[in-house]
Amino acid sequence: MIYHELGRDVLNATTADDWYQHWRPVAADACPVCMGSGHDQIKGNKNRPCGGCFGLGKVRKDGEPPTDMWELAEAA
């Protein structure tokens, strides 16, 4: 598999087995910052929650990140 990593603008290659083992589709309600993982993708720190979704990995139905505890509860 060859894929283009948009964040770093590089082409990468991997085996098909590795691709299917480590990659997953991004859900429609996944946070655009962390892609649904819930941790800080930009700094690469898995011990810190994502700033876009507060570690939830999801956003509101309109695609915007939650801004207060009620919107966070709605996204959860």
Side-chain angles (χ1 to χ4, degrees), residues 37-68:
S37 69
H39 63 265
D40 188 347
Q41 294 277 336
I42 297 169
K43 295 179 183 173
N45 190 349
K46 293 185 177 184
N47 296 327
R48 299 283 181 199
C50 171
C53 64
F54 303 103
L56 186 62
K58 297 183 178 188
V59 291
R60 298 183 321 205
K61 291 179 183 176
D62 63 0
E64 295 297 317
T67 57
D68 62 19

Side-chain angles (χ1 to χ4, degrees), residues 4-68:
H4 184 197
E5 197 171 327
L6 297 175
R8 297 187 308 170
D9 195 28
V10 289
L11 286 175
N12 285 320
T14 186
T15 65
D17 290 335
D18 182 60
W19 177 268
Y20 289 118
Q21 182 179 6
H22 293 101
W23 295 84
R24 59 179 169 71
V26 178
D29 63 346
C31 173
V33 176
C34 68
M35 298 299 175
S37 69
H39 63 265
D40 188 347
Q41 294 277 336
I42 297 169
K43 295 179 183 173
N45 190 349
K46 293 185 177 184
N47 296 327
R48 299 283 181 199
C50 171
C53 64
F54 303 103
L56 186 62
K58 297 183 178 188
V59 291
R60 298 183 321 205
K61 291 179 183 176
D62 63 0
E64 295 297 317
T67 57
D68 62 19

